[in-house]
Amino acid sequence: MVDIPGPVLDADTAAHLTRHGVRSVCLFGKNIESAQQLSRLCADLRNVLGEGALIALDHEGGAILRPTFWPFAPSAMSLGAADDPALTEEVNAALARQLRSVGINWNFAPVLDVNVNPANPVIGERAYGADAALVTRHGRAALAGHAAGGVAACVKHFPGHGDTHLDSHKALPRVSKSRAELDATEFAPFRDLLPVTPAIMTAHIVYDALDAVHPATLSRPILTDLLRAEWGYDGITLTDSMGMQAIDSHYGRGEAAVLALRAGADLVMALGRREAQEATLNAVQAALPTLNPGELDASLRRLHTLAAAYPSASTPFDPATDAPLFAEAWARGLSGYQTPVAPPPGSRVLLVAQRRVQRENVSEASVDADTLARELGSVYSVQLHAYDAPEELDWAAIRAAGLPVILATTTRHRQPALLGVQPDLHLALYNPYAVLDVDSPAVVSFGFRPEARAALLGWLGGGRELTGRLPFAGAIK
């Protein structure tokens, strides 16, 4: 699987795909401009990749949604907070309908990581929660929704990315739990949902109890001995991007691809610049005579079966139809922390918010301070205190204004400079674990999308209750 450089399939890229016999492509924000353009791109890809084309996207919900022209589905943790599997199934069926409407037939979701580490720098609200049973319950519903919507799901990040302090986009994480601990937590959702899982994406993480040398993506004890032999899985195993630093900084691209295939992966995600793709494809081609022919045949069978079960074809549908579903789903996830109380509508308030938050790795750009102030202006008379970095905030001066202080946190990462600060109300609009740092009552939306903000305004204005429940407990500061 490769990616392509832009929103149009140019002749040179088409020739590259044809020359190497590539049958699967992963799309990103750089490939997306409009629904019409995306549908055209998928049609052009099908013409080049062939009848069994696999066209994929990371379409999880929350911050991990590349198209900006469709209604935004809630994050997994928002659904975990609502804890209604029927709702989770409906939302995931709607995600699948969005993709099918343009011809995308493979979604890299749901996330089955059990986020037991509040300091996790990459998963957070992308997980359903910190309890393996809850993650399994909603993972099952998400898989059912995708199946009903006619799009192949791909669970991730096997065997589990929920207890890491490092982001595998930037470094190589290591998990040193015992096998018994892994069985009870990280492994549980993946293992229990295997019968209804079309595909699994591997994690670039070393699990000492199984293989102290190789990350899971390159580990035969994990991908073959555990997943295939012990658990009997016969669906697809797909690597995460081999361009992530957990792999790229420790192995050559070609070497890593061959190691992944030897470990038992069915498909290698060779993303990035053309030279890196060529290095991967050439290394795999050269290694084919040395790979187990029976395992290669099994991999091809699995991939052909998936493509046949979920053919890529544009299916006419208006995604706006699901806008009310998404709006209600976001609202049902709204959760309180330490019994928050909203200032009375119409009162004067001081809003403290970061001026602008840029996109980072897998996540899109968050909401800016001016937008928040404008929206809160429908409920309050708002004085905005915008900041660039939390270290610059003078809380004594902020308090001296004599107004109720509302702090909005809108960043993907927790911010140490906010540890112990005491606004009157905290609106946690991105990382839900920020409530463990800010010493005040809070409302948690599990995301910054317009639908999440509208639900929050409904609560501030007195028209909605907080019906969600934080799907994690404890505090690591």
Side-chain angles (χ1 to χ4, degrees), residues 38 145 212 218 239 296 302 331 392 431 477:
L38 187 53
L218 311 181
T239 75
L296 288 177
R302 294 182 191 109
E392 72 189 36
N431 191 321
K477 298 186 178 181

Side-chain angles (χ1 to χ4, degrees), residues 423-436:
D424 296 292
L425 178 65
H426 174 202
L427 307 180
L429 284 158
Y430 198 161
N431 191 321
Y433 299 96
V435 300
L436 305 180

Side-chain angles (χ1 to χ4, degrees), residues 115-146:
N115 200 77
V116 296
N117 184 358
N120 194 317
V122 67
I123 303 301
E125 89 295 344
R126 297 171 66 192
Y128 290 108
D131 176 72
L134 180 143
V135 172
T136 302
R137 183 163 64 249
H138 288 275
R140 188 181 303 279
L143 288 165
H146 276 82

Side-chain angles (χ1 to χ4, degrees), residues 35 132 187 285 288 298 344 361 393 417-418:
F187 289 0
Q285 182 67 38
L288 285 178
N361 288 337
L393 291 172
L418 295 179

